Amino acid sequence: MDYETTRRAVLGALVAGGTGAAALSPAGGLFQRFAPFSGRAWDAAERVPSTVESPYGPATITYDDYHVPHVEADTEEAAYFAVGYAQAADRLFEMDLVRRRMRGTLAEVAGEQVVDSDVFNVRMDFLGAAEASAEAIAGTDTERMTEAFADGVNAYIDEGPLPLEFGLLGYEPREWSVVASLLVGAQVSWGLTGSFRTLQRAVLRDRLDADTYRRRYPARLDHGYPILRPDRVGGEVHGVAGRGVEAASADARVGDAVDADFADWLGRFEPPPYLGSNSWLVAGEHTASGQPVVANDMHLTLMAPPVWYEQRVSAGGVDVRGVAFPGIPFVVAGENDHGAWGFTNTGADVVDLYTYETDDARERYRYQGEWREFDTETRTVEVAGGENREITVKKTVHGAFLDREVDGEARHVGVAWTGMSGTRESQAIHEFGRSTGREDVLEALELFDAPTQNFVYADREGRTLYWTTGKIPIRRVDGEVVRGDRVFDGSAGEAEWEGFIPFGQSSWEGFVPFEDKPGVVQPSYIGTANQRLVDDPVYPIGQEYASGFRGTRIYEELDAAVEGDAAVDRELMQEVQRDTVDVRARTLVPAILDARDRMPDAADSYLDAMADWDYRLDRDSTAALFFRFFYEAFREETWRDDYEDVGLDNTYWPQEWVLVTLPPDDEAFGGDRAGVLARAMERAVDRLEAEDWEVYGDYNRTVIDHPFGGQVGALNYPRYPTDGGSFTVMNFRKEGGAGSSQRTVYPMDGETVTVLPGGNDGSYFSEHYDDQLRLWADGEYRPAPRSVDGDPDITVEGKSGEADG
Amino acid sequence: MSAETTAGGPDSQGRFSRATAAVRTGDRGRRWLVTAGAVALGLVLATGHWMGLVLGGAFVGVLQRDLKRAVLGGLLFGLVVLGAFVLVAPRLEAGELLALTPAAYVTLGAGLGLPLLGSLTRGVV
């Protein structure tokens, strides 16, 4: 064979072999997704089709300057089809991610790393809970609108370019459905009320002596700013017993102590701790204009794209604008022609835990003197690139049954959660949008079965309202009402929730009656920030509330505004939302300065800065930067040894209110708080000297990432300096990845302003992917008009003959 | 089948070889023109499947006078593909694409490497 022939053969083999090998190897799959032009991932760079056909009738979608869709139609069905189309165009991947997470099918596309979460969610049967909720709203207008919404989503899946993330992960979404929307609702509810705190408390009560436990985990934090201050709030107050102190305010009682490893295992599946929010309203009697003003910023996970999707829907006499969770058709918090409403998390205890006597095979459990089979079902968790898992889902009369071997011993707990029943909150939020004033809203609130929330409302006629949403169980043991902060004896049927049917339709008769939940008709002003609701509720409400730092600041500001000469208007409410005073610092810094003679010389400049500090966590503050790291060291110095001695990690440490108010001679300080402060100071100085930060804003920069930003860094939002911290009204929790998920102020006689921590369009290729982030970081706002100019961006054409829907 | 056999048979191969050889040895203007046609055809094929990039590179390559020029032609075709891709995609900017690693590595690698691979066909004909 001559050289030329050999050369041809080699090159021929290279071309044919190279192409064939690429086609048959994983490279071929990558080329199919990412090759220029033909790669499926790049479909996301195409434009959304500007017309779509709908069986529900015509509608238009017009985006405003911040890519907020204004959906206009003659009928609500036609509008909600268009809402589904718009949400899918902008957030389909986010919607699908939540659906997969709650169904326990995320590992099917994301692989081994999320298997544990999938298995937990399957065993909790969130899908069964969503199906029960679908049954609860069957036959209502809400179901019809949600069906139209699902059809709109599916029209987009059929016709629109799929978001980039589907190409990156290499899968396509399945059809959307009513149950899928309700799964999103279940995630929200579990995220806000899911808790295994009771188990942690049981472990703590077991490991600490009774006095220490009581001091560090008091039933009530003694700040003076509960949400409901009967002597100041005005209006018609509900849910206060009039006894002066909470009836069941004793420290937690403990049933069967539960193993810490088991509690820690379940703790891994708890929603992130301390998700909170701020909301308040001031009635017209205290405002400059004579009309009420409502302010709301909800603190949730900060992520790219944001947890909220802003939308306006105008149809059938309803005109509502606000934020919805992607996948939920309706505005959750927002305003319409008649009023505005907002939420904060209540912290009510709506999860109870039970233990049972079980047989040796663990196939039956004892219940009220009889052996019962577990309600059992086998499901498969599919795992991309890994081994699929066969999961046995077990249930008892109370709800889910979670078991696990710990050190060769079987541990278990039965879980009852109000959200496991059919719940109608989707109907409630739909009705909020349709409401024509306070009376309509009060009626809709009775449908709001979950989650438990502090709800504030004002209408344009000057009426105001505060109410607690959600079903709250009443537990009785031996005829006495008790708190839910212990593990109950499930076999004895102890403290069961009367009228509760998990994964079915509850009658709720054993729950706190609507009129006995904390509420006020026509409050003159009220502030909520996840602190305790009221000193003296008719029934026990919560197990653990926020420390009250934000609640304190909001009331200090509102009290001063109402009592002083300041004009209470939108601008003032924006100022309060931007408040960065850290009450921890205000409480602790005097003690730090008092201990100055024990501090190292290297701390002098920081101590000088703190001496002149206004306790604000502002980006240009050196004192704020130092306090941030001082406080972290102070916590460590105070708690770490104590808790390591009893085998518990930092997730068991007390709340911050407890730490900053501990007496200086408390045993946690070894009787010498000044010494602990000095050691913390030394650590903080060492830490800061190892870093390049000069002021708080050098450290306190936004970290708002995409769920797959670890793999594709470009999807993460840029980093900007910002103000505030975990315990300030202007809220940003850098380490926790949480903070103000929106900020909105609704004056009832003026222009609403708002901002999102990112952008409304979830497409990486969109100019609106992160166009609000800088505004958010800087504490600025933009208008949120309920009208829009210009031609529609998307025209929904009604298909003739199918419009009956 | 018979038509395919005929199309891919020795006669047609011979005609193809003669035609490409004529382009290669013909005047430069004609070669540029035909190469431009090959680029256009390659772009069209690339919109349907990534193998279109290999084919596009091959079409450009076989029209060049030697293997070295063919490889250069394949690379230039790849650059044209990438440039056109960024220009044509309605919402894609070059900076956004380049930032989107590691997916962008595949895009750049496929955009340049597959045409180059195809261009090696020049060494076979």
Side-chain angles (χ1 to χ4, degrees), chain A residues 8 11-12 14-15 31 34 36-38 42 44-46 164 711-712 714 763-765, chain B residues 46 49-51 81 84-85 90-92 96-97 99-102 107 117 120 123-124:
Chain A
R8 287 184 179 200
L11 288 172
L14 199 61
V15 175
F31 293 155
F34 304 119
F37 287 116
S38 66
W42 307 125
E46 300 292 325
L164 175 66
Q711 288 78 35
V712 185
S763 171
Y764 166 76
F765 300 113
Chain B
H49 195 276
W50 60 264
M51 282 199 196
V81 166
F85 171 55
R91 301 203 295 172
L92 182 66
E96 287 177 336
L97 172 64
L100 209 57
T101 57
T107 308
L117 181 69
L120 297 178
V124 182

mmCIF file of all heavy atoms in Angstrom, chain A residues 8 11-12 14-15 31 34 36-38 42 44-46 164 711-712 714 763-765, chain B residues 46 49-51 81 84-85 90-92 96-97 99-102 107 117 120 123-124:
data_model
loop_
_atom_site.group_PDB
_atom_site.id
_atom_site.type_symbol
_atom_site.label_atom_id
_atom_site.label_comp_id
_atom_site.label_asym_id
_atom_site.label_seq_id
_atom_site.Cartn_x
_atom_site.Cartn_y
_atom_site.Cartn_z
ATOM 1 N N ARG A 8 -5.070 8.408 2.690
ATOM 2 C CA ARG A 8 -6.519 8.514 2.429
ATOM 3 C C ARG A 8 -7.311 7.624 3.371
ATOM 4 O O ARG A 8 -8.366 8.000 3.885
ATOM 5 C CB ARG A 8 -6.823 8.124 0.989
ATOM 6 C CG ARG A 8 -6.376 9.170 0.015
ATOM 7 C CD ARG A 8 -6.759 8.807 -1.383
ATOM 8 N NE ARG A 8 -6.343 9.842 -2.304
ATOM 9 C CZ ARG A 8 -6.843 10.009 -3.502
ATOM 10 N NH1 ARG A 8 -7.746 9.178 -3.942
ATOM 11 N NH2 ARG A 8 -6.438 10.982 -4.276
ATOM 12 N N LEU A 11 -7.336 9.195 6.887
ATOM 13 C CA LEU A 11 -8.229 10.358 6.968
ATOM 14 C C LEU A 11 -9.698 9.948 6.833
ATOM 15 O O LEU A 11 -10.578 10.467 7.537
ATOM 16 C CB LEU A 11 -7.866 11.372 5.881
ATOM 17 C CG LEU A 11 -6.555 12.134 6.123
ATOM 18 C CD1 LEU A 11 -6.189 12.978 4.901
ATOM 19 C CD2 LEU A 11 -6.678 13.020 7.357
ATOM 20 N N GLY A 12 -9.938 9.006 5.940
ATOM 21 C CA GLY A 12 -11.317 8.526 5.778
ATOM 22 C C GLY A 12 -11.821 7.901 7.063
ATOM 23 O O GLY A 12 -12.957 8.147 7.501
ATOM 24 N N LEU A 14 -10.722 8.550 9.973
ATOM 25 C CA LEU A 14 -10.854 9.612 10.986
ATOM 26 C C LEU A 14 -12.203 10.328 10.867
ATOM 27 O O LEU A 14 -12.903 10.551 11.858
ATOM 28 C CB LEU A 14 -9.703 10.601 10.800
ATOM 29 C CG LEU A 14 -9.372 11.512 11.965
ATOM 30 C CD1 LEU A 14 -8.956 10.703 13.173
ATOM 31 C CD2 LEU A 14 -8.243 12.469 11.554
ATOM 32 N N VAL A 15 -12.557 10.669 9.643
ATOM 33 C CA VAL A 15 -13.819 11.396 9.447
ATOM 34 C C VAL A 15 -15.013 10.498 9.774
ATOM 35 O O VAL A 15 -15.884 10.857 10.571
ATOM 36 C CB VAL A 15 -13.929 11.911 7.985
ATOM 37 C CG1 VAL A 15 -15.294 12.555 7.765
ATOM 38 C CG2 VAL A 15 -12.819 12.910 7.691
ATOM 39 N N PHE A 31 -23.900 17.195 21.789
ATOM 40 C CA PHE A 31 -24.076 17.959 20.551
ATOM 41 C C PHE A 31 -25.564 18.217 20.276
ATOM 42 O O PHE A 31 -25.950 19.293 19.822
ATOM 43 C CB PHE A 31 -23.462 17.223 19.362
ATOM 44 C CG PHE A 31 -21.954 17.127 19.421
ATOM 45 C CD1 PHE A 31 -21.284 16.115 18.764
ATOM 46 C CD2 PHE A 31 -21.207 18.064 20.135
ATOM 47 C CE1 PHE A 31 -19.899 16.021 18.818
ATOM 48 C CE2 PHE A 31 -19.824 17.981 20.195
ATOM 49 C CZ PHE A 31 -19.162 16.954 19.541
ATOM 50 N N PHE A 34 -26.314 21.109 22.637
ATOM 51 C CA PHE A 34 -25.598 22.387 22.651
ATOM 52 C C PHE A 34 -24.917 22.781 21.341
ATOM 53 O O PHE A 34 -24.256 23.815 21.285
ATOM 54 C CB PHE A 34 -24.539 22.359 23.760
ATOM 55 C CG PHE A 34 -25.097 22.046 25.111
ATOM 56 C CD1 PHE A 34 -24.679 20.929 25.813
ATOM 57 C CD2 PHE A 34 -26.069 22.861 25.679
ATOM 58 C CE1 PHE A 34 -25.207 20.628 27.060
ATOM 59 C CE2 PHE A 34 -26.596 22.575 26.924
ATOM 60 C CZ PHE A 34 -26.164 21.447 27.616
ATOM 61 N N PRO A 36 -24.228 24.540 17.878
ATOM 62 C CA PRO A 36 -24.834 25.771 17.376
ATOM 63 C C PRO A 36 -25.964 25.449 16.403
ATOM 64 O O PRO A 36 -25.891 24.477 15.659
ATOM 65 C CB PRO A 36 -23.666 26.487 16.675
ATOM 66 C CG PRO A 36 -22.589 25.475 16.526
ATOM 67 C CD PRO A 36 -22.806 24.427 17.565
ATOM 68 N N PHE A 37 -26.987 26.226 16.444
ATOM 69 C CA PHE A 37 -28.197 26.103 15.609
ATOM 70 C C PHE A 37 -29.084 24.936 16.036
ATOM 71 O O PHE A 37 -30.226 25.142 16.431
ATOM 72 C CB PHE A 37 -27.873 25.966 14.114
ATOM 73 C CG PHE A 37 -27.397 27.247 13.499
ATOM 74 C CD1 PHE A 37 -26.118 27.362 12.995
ATOM 75 C CD2 PHE A 37 -28.240 28.346 13.424
ATOM 76 C CE1 PHE A 37 -25.674 28.544 12.436
ATOM 77 C CE2 PHE A 37 -27.808 29.529 12.867
ATOM 78 C CZ PHE A 37 -26.524 29.630 12.379
ATOM 79 N N SER A 38 -28.593 23.702 15.941
ATOM 80 C CA SER A 38 -29.497 22.561 16.153
ATOM 81 C C SER A 38 -29.632 22.152 17.611
ATOM 82 O O SER A 38 -30.530 21.399 17.954
ATOM 83 C CB SER A 38 -29.012 21.355 15.338
ATOM 84 O OG SER A 38 -27.760 20.910 15.831
ATOM 85 N N TRP A 42 -30.684 25.727 22.794
ATOM 86 C CA TRP A 42 -30.717 27.093 22.251
ATOM 87 C C TRP A 42 -32.091 27.499 21.773
ATOM 88 O O TRP A 42 -32.291 28.641 21.350
ATOM 89 C CB TRP A 42 -29.665 27.233 21.146
ATOM 90 C CG TRP A 42 -28.313 26.802 21.610
ATOM 91 C CD1 TRP A 42 -27.505 25.876 21.035
ATOM 92 C CD2 TRP A 42 -27.605 27.265 22.780
ATOM 93 N NE1 TRP A 42 -26.343 25.726 21.757
ATOM 94 C CE2 TRP A 42 -26.390 26.572 22.840
ATOM 95 C CE3 TRP A 42 -27.901 28.190 23.785
ATOM 96 C CZ2 TRP A 42 -25.460 26.764 23.855
ATOM 97 C CZ3 TRP A 42 -26.971 28.394 24.798
ATOM 98 C CH2 TRP A 42 -25.777 27.689 24.822
ATOM 99 N N ALA A 44 -34.212 28.087 23.657
ATOM 100 C CA ALA A 44 -34.559 29.098 24.662
ATOM 101 C C ALA A 44 -34.222 30.502 24.213
ATOM 102 O O ALA A 44 -34.739 31.476 24.762
ATOM 103 C CB ALA A 44 -33.835 28.776 25.967
ATOM 104 N N ALA A 45 -33.325 30.623 23.224
ATOM 105 C CA ALA A 45 -32.976 31.954 22.731
ATOM 106 C C ALA A 45 -33.941 32.438 21.649
ATOM 107 O O ALA A 45 -33.788 33.535 21.118
ATOM 108 C CB ALA A 45 -31.544 31.942 22.187
ATOM 109 N N GLU A 46 -34.933 31.598 21.323
ATOM 110 C CA GLU A 46 -35.958 32.015 20.354
ATOM 111 C C GLU A 46 -36.982 32.900 21.063
ATOM 112 O O GLU A 46 -37.114 32.880 22.285
ATOM 113 C CB GLU A 46 -36.681 30.785 19.787
ATOM 114 C CG GLU A 46 -35.780 29.802 19.069
ATOM 115 C CD GLU A 46 -35.224 30.377 17.773
ATOM 116 O OE1 GLU A 46 -35.946 31.139 17.121
ATOM 117 O OE2 GLU A 46 -34.053 30.080 17.454
ATOM 118 N N LEU A 164 -34.058 27.360 28.867
ATOM 119 C CA LEU A 164 -32.698 26.835 28.729
ATOM 120 C C LEU A 164 -32.430 25.637 29.651
ATOM 121 O O LEU A 164 -31.736 24.687 29.280
ATOM 122 C CB LEU A 164 -31.714 27.974 29.061
ATOM 123 C CG LEU A 164 -30.233 27.633 29.103
ATOM 124 C CD1 LEU A 164 -29.744 27.241 27.714
ATOM 125 C CD2 LEU A 164 -29.435 28.838 29.618
ATOM 126 N N GLN A 711 -23.616 24.344 38.708
ATOM 127 C CA GLN A 711 -23.143 23.705 37.473
ATOM 128 C C GLN A 711 -22.929 24.733 36.362
ATOM 129 O O GLN A 711 -22.027 24.591 35.547
ATOM 130 C CB GLN A 711 -24.155 22.651 36.986
ATOM 131 C CG GLN A 711 -24.226 21.377 37.829
ATOM 132 C CD GLN A 711 -25.009 21.558 39.110
ATOM 133 O OE1 GLN A 711 -25.989 22.291 39.141
ATOM 134 N NE2 GLN A 711 -24.560 20.935 40.184
ATOM 135 N N VAL A 712 -23.798 25.726 36.305
ATOM 136 C CA VAL A 712 -23.717 26.751 35.252
ATOM 137 C C VAL A 712 -23.753 28.124 35.934
ATOM 138 O O VAL A 712 -24.820 28.690 36.168
ATOM 139 C CB VAL A 712 -24.884 26.614 34.249
ATOM 140 C CG1 VAL A 712 -24.718 27.605 33.103
ATOM 141 C CG2 VAL A 712 -24.972 25.192 33.708
ATOM 142 N N ALA A 714 -23.218 31.102 35.138
ATOM 143 C CA ALA A 714 -23.786 32.293 34.499
ATOM 144 C C ALA A 714 -25.251 32.494 34.867
ATOM 145 O O ALA A 714 -25.777 33.603 34.751
ATOM 146 C CB ALA A 714 -23.652 32.183 32.982
ATOM 147 N N SER A 763 -35.929 33.795 31.974
ATOM 148 C CA SER A 763 -35.007 33.400 30.904
ATOM 149 C C SER A 763 -33.678 34.124 31.039
ATOM 150 O O SER A 763 -33.615 35.355 31.062
ATOM 151 C CB SER A 763 -35.606 33.712 29.531
ATOM 152 O OG SER A 763 -34.609 33.517 28.546
ATOM 153 N N TYR A 764 -32.635 33.336 31.074
ATOM 154 C CA TYR A 764 -31.264 33.883 31.131
ATOM 155 C C TYR A 764 -31.009 34.850 29.978
ATOM 156 O O TYR A 764 -30.235 35.798 30.112
ATOM 157 C CB TYR A 764 -30.287 32.699 31.088
ATOM 158 C CG TYR A 764 -28.856 33.060 30.802
ATOM 159 C CD1 TYR A 764 -28.055 33.640 31.782
ATOM 160 C CD2 TYR A 764 -28.293 32.810 29.545
ATOM 161 C CE1 TYR A 764 -26.726 33.959 31.526
ATOM 162 C CE2 TYR A 764 -26.968 33.122 29.283
ATOM 163 C CZ TYR A 764 -26.195 33.699 30.275
ATOM 164 O OH TYR A 764 -24.886 34.020 30.013
ATOM 165 N N PHE A 765 -31.663 34.642 28.867
ATOM 166 C CA PHE A 765 -31.411 35.473 27.680
ATOM 167 C C PHE A 765 -32.207 36.779 27.686
ATOM 168 O O PHE A 765 -32.074 37.580 26.778
ATOM 169 C CB PHE A 765 -31.749 34.692 26.407
ATOM 170 C CG PHE A 765 -30.936 33.442 26.270
ATOM 171 C CD1 PHE A 765 -31.533 32.194 26.348
ATOM 172 C CD2 PHE A 765 -29.569 33.505 26.084
ATOM 173 C CE1 PHE A 765 -30.785 31.036 26.228
ATOM 174 C CE2 PHE A 765 -28.805 32.358 25.969
ATOM 175 C CZ PHE A 765 -29.416 31.120 26.041
ATOM 176 N N ALA B 46 -26.840 22.466 9.189
ATOM 177 C CA ALA B 46 -26.507 22.580 10.617
ATOM 178 C C ALA B 46 -27.712 22.973 11.456
ATOM 179 O O ALA B 46 -27.745 22.715 12.658
ATOM 180 C CB ALA B 46 -25.385 23.593 10.805
ATOM 181 N N HIS B 49 -29.337 19.355 12.219
ATOM 182 C CA HIS B 49 -28.657 18.343 13.027
ATOM 183 C C HIS B 49 -27.186 18.706 13.123
ATOM 184 O O HIS B 49 -26.630 19.299 12.182
ATOM 185 C CB HIS B 49 -28.818 16.958 12.380
ATOM 186 C CG HIS B 49 -28.477 15.824 13.303
ATOM 187 N ND1 HIS B 49 -27.200 15.374 13.497
ATOM 188 C CD2 HIS B 49 -29.259 15.060 14.108
ATOM 189 C CE1 HIS B 49 -27.201 14.369 14.366
ATOM 190 N NE2 HIS B 49 -28.449 14.161 14.762
ATOM 191 N N TRP B 50 -26.556 18.301 14.208
ATOM 192 C CA TRP B 50 -25.133 18.647 14.350
ATOM 193 C C TRP B 50 -24.273 18.005 13.269
ATOM 194 O O TRP B 50 -23.192 18.502 12.951
ATOM 195 C CB TRP B 50 -24.624 18.283 15.738
ATOM 196 C CG TRP B 50 -24.701 16.825 16.141
ATOM 197 C CD1 TRP B 50 -25.672 16.236 16.855
ATOM 198 C CD2 TRP B 50 -23.745 15.798 15.850
ATOM 199 N NE1 TRP B 50 -25.419 14.905 17.057
ATOM 200 C CE2 TRP B 50 -24.230 14.608 16.452
ATOM 201 C CE3 TRP B 50 -22.530 15.755 15.150
ATOM 202 C CZ2 TRP B 50 -23.540 13.391 16.356
ATOM 203 C CZ3 TRP B 50 -21.851 14.547 15.073
ATOM 204 C CH2 TRP B 50 -22.351 13.371 15.674
ATOM 205 N N MET B 51 -24.728 16.899 12.666
ATOM 206 C CA MET B 51 -23.932 16.299 11.588
ATOM 207 C C MET B 51 -23.854 17.225 10.371
ATOM 208 O O MET B 51 -22.968 17.086 9.519
ATOM 209 C CB MET B 51 -24.514 14.954 11.189
ATOM 210 C CG MET B 51 -24.150 13.856 12.193
ATOM 211 S SD MET B 51 -24.340 12.231 11.496
ATOM 212 C CE MET B 51 -24.333 11.222 12.959
ATOM 213 N N VAL B 81 -20.263 29.722 11.125
ATOM 214 C CA VAL B 81 -21.400 29.089 11.807
ATOM 215 C C VAL B 81 -21.646 29.763 13.149
ATOM 216 O O VAL B 81 -22.770 30.162 13.480
ATOM 217 C CB VAL B 81 -21.134 27.579 12.017
ATOM 218 C CG1 VAL B 81 -22.122 26.991 13.017
ATOM 219 C CG2 VAL B 81 -21.244 26.833 10.690
ATOM 220 N N ALA B 84 -22.871 33.339 12.705
ATOM 221 C CA ALA B 84 -24.253 33.364 12.230
ATOM 222 C C ALA B 84 -25.214 32.922 13.330
ATOM 223 O O ALA B 84 -26.307 33.481 13.488
ATOM 224 C CB ALA B 84 -24.400 32.445 11.015
ATOM 225 N N PHE B 85 -24.792 31.944 14.115
ATOM 226 C CA PHE B 85 -25.641 31.451 15.204
ATOM 227 C C PHE B 85 -25.983 32.575 16.181
ATOM 228 O O PHE B 85 -27.138 32.778 16.549
ATOM 229 C CB PHE B 85 -24.897 30.305 15.903
ATOM 230 C CG PHE B 85 -25.539 29.831 17.169
ATOM 231 C CD1 PHE B 85 -26.869 29.411 17.190
ATOM 232 C CD2 PHE B 85 -24.808 29.781 18.356
ATOM 233 C CE1 PHE B 85 -27.455 28.958 18.358
ATOM 234 C CE2 PHE B 85 -25.401 29.325 19.533
ATOM 235 C CZ PHE B 85 -26.723 28.921 19.534
ATOM 236 N N PRO B 90 -32.583 35.159 18.139
ATOM 237 C CA PRO B 90 -33.170 36.464 18.441
ATOM 238 C C PRO B 90 -32.760 37.047 19.784
ATOM 239 O O PRO B 90 -32.694 38.248 19.940
ATOM 240 C CB PRO B 90 -34.687 36.176 18.439
ATOM 241 C CG PRO B 90 -34.869 34.855 17.796
ATOM 242 C CD PRO B 90 -33.587 34.113 17.953
ATOM 243 N N ARG B 91 -32.492 36.196 20.773
ATOM 244 C CA ARG B 91 -32.244 36.753 22.104
ATOM 245 C C ARG B 91 -30.861 36.395 22.641
ATOM 246 O O ARG B 91 -30.626 36.486 23.841
ATOM 247 C CB ARG B 91 -33.309 36.252 23.085
ATOM 248 C CG ARG B 91 -34.734 36.633 22.679
ATOM 249 C CD ARG B 91 -35.659 36.634 23.849
ATOM 250 N NE ARG B 91 -35.836 35.303 24.429
ATOM 251 C CZ ARG B 91 -36.483 35.066 25.554
ATOM 252 N NH1 ARG B 91 -37.002 36.074 26.241
ATOM 253 N NH2 ARG B 91 -36.629 33.837 26.002
ATOM 254 N N LEU B 92 -29.963 35.972 21.769
ATOM 255 C CA LEU B 92 -28.659 35.503 22.226
ATOM 256 C C LEU B 92 -27.577 36.511 21.891
ATOM 257 O O LEU B 92 -27.432 36.916 20.745
ATOM 258 C CB LEU B 92 -28.337 34.156 21.565
ATOM 259 C CG LEU B 92 -27.020 33.491 21.963
ATOM 260 C CD1 LEU B 92 -27.056 33.076 23.424
ATOM 261 C CD2 LEU B 92 -26.772 32.266 21.098
ATOM 262 N N GLU B 96 -23.263 36.550 26.405
ATOM 263 C CA GLU B 96 -24.108 35.610 27.162
ATOM 264 C C GLU B 96 -23.725 34.175 26.848
ATOM 265 O O GLU B 96 -23.668 33.323 27.726
ATOM 266 C CB GLU B 96 -25.577 35.827 26.805
ATOM 267 C CG GLU B 96 -26.184 37.094 27.374
ATOM 268 C CD GLU B 96 -27.622 37.287 26.912
ATOM 269 O OE1 GLU B 96 -27.993 36.746 25.848
ATOM 270 O OE2 GLU B 96 -28.356 37.971 27.610
ATOM 271 N N LEU B 97 -23.485 33.936 25.565
ATOM 272 C CA LEU B 97 -23.121 32.570 25.168
ATOM 273 C C LEU B 97 -21.793 32.165 25.791
ATOM 274 O O LEU B 97 -21.673 31.098 26.389
ATOM 275 C CB LEU B 97 -23.040 32.481 23.634
ATOM 276 C CG LEU B 97 -22.489 31.159 23.088
ATOM 277 C CD1 LEU B 97 -23.416 30.001 23.440
ATOM 278 C CD2 LEU B 97 -22.292 31.223 21.583
ATOM 279 N N ALA B 99 -20.385 33.229 28.414
ATOM 280 C CA ALA B 99 -20.448 33.090 29.874
ATOM 281 C C ALA B 99 -21.101 31.778 30.290
ATOM 282 O O ALA B 99 -20.954 31.337 31.430
ATOM 283 C CB ALA B 99 -21.230 34.262 30.468
ATOM 284 N N LEU B 100 -21.813 31.191 29.376
ATOM 285 C CA LEU B 100 -22.651 30.045 29.738
ATOM 286 C C LEU B 100 -21.850 28.741 29.727
ATOM 287 O O LEU B 100 -22.206 27.775 29.064
ATOM 288 C CB LEU B 100 -23.838 29.970 28.769
ATOM 289 C CG LEU B 100 -25.132 29.361 29.296
ATOM 290 C CD1 LEU B 100 -25.636 30.094 30.522
ATOM 291 C CD2 LEU B 100 -26.187 29.404 28.206
ATOM 292 N N THR B 101 -20.770 28.758 30.455
ATOM 293 C CA THR B 101 -19.957 27.541 30.534
ATOM 294 C C THR B 101 -20.565 26.588 31.552
ATOM 295 O O THR B 101 -21.246 27.038 32.467
ATOM 296 C CB THR B 101 -18.522 27.890 30.957
ATOM 297 O OG1 THR B 101 -18.596 28.580 32.209
ATOM 298 C CG2 THR B 101 -17.848 28.750 29.930
ATOM 299 N N PRO B 102 -20.394 25.275 31.446
ATOM 300 C CA PRO B 102 -19.600 24.570 30.452
ATOM 301 C C PRO B 102 -20.346 24.289 29.148
ATOM 302 O O PRO B 102 -19.728 23.791 28.201
ATOM 303 C CB PRO B 102 -19.262 23.265 31.161
ATOM 304 C CG PRO B 102 -20.413 23.028 32.073
ATOM 305 C CD PRO B 102 -20.890 24.371 32.507
ATOM 306 N N THR B 107 -20.645 24.075 22.629
ATOM 307 C CA THR B 107 -21.069 24.831 21.451
ATOM 308 C C THR B 107 -19.862 25.275 20.618
ATOM 309 O O THR B 107 -19.830 25.088 19.393
ATOM 310 C CB THR B 107 -21.880 26.071 21.894
ATOM 311 O OG1 THR B 107 -22.909 25.629 22.769
ATOM 312 C CG2 THR B 107 -22.482 26.794 20.709
ATOM 313 N N LEU B 117 -13.409 18.450 11.345
ATOM 314 C CA LEU B 117 -13.410 17.007 11.108
ATOM 315 C C LEU B 117 -13.900 16.708 9.688
ATOM 316 O O LEU B 117 -13.296 15.926 8.943
ATOM 317 C CB LEU B 117 -14.310 16.312 12.146
ATOM 318 C CG LEU B 117 -14.406 14.794 12.069
ATOM 319 C CD1 LEU B 117 -13.077 14.155 12.467
ATOM 320 C CD2 LEU B 117 -15.516 14.268 12.993
ATOM 321 N N LEU B 120 -11.524 17.245 6.681
ATOM 322 C CA LEU B 120 -10.485 16.248 6.413
ATOM 323 C C LEU B 120 -10.871 15.345 5.246
ATOM 324 O O LEU B 120 -10.030 14.624 4.700
ATOM 325 C CB LEU B 120 -10.219 15.398 7.666
ATOM 326 C CG LEU B 120 -9.671 16.158 8.883
ATOM 327 C CD1 LEU B 120 -9.507 15.216 10.074
ATOM 328 C CD2 LEU B 120 -8.338 16.820 8.547
ATOM 329 N N GLY B 123 -8.781 15.071 2.135
ATOM 330 C CA GLY B 123 -7.657 14.162 2.020
ATOM 331 C C GLY B 123 -8.039 12.809 1.486
ATOM 332 O O GLY B 123 -7.169 11.992 1.171
ATOM 333 N N VAL B 124 -9.310 12.549 1.406
ATOM 334 C CA VAL B 124 -9.780 11.240 0.924
ATOM 335 C C VAL B 124 -10.075 11.298 -0.570
ATOM 336 O O VAL B 124 -9.844 10.336 -1.295
ATOM 337 C CB VAL B 124 -11.028 10.797 1.700
ATOM 338 C CG1 VAL B 124 -11.508 9.424 1.252
ATOM 339 C CG2 VAL B 124 -10.766 10.809 3.197
#
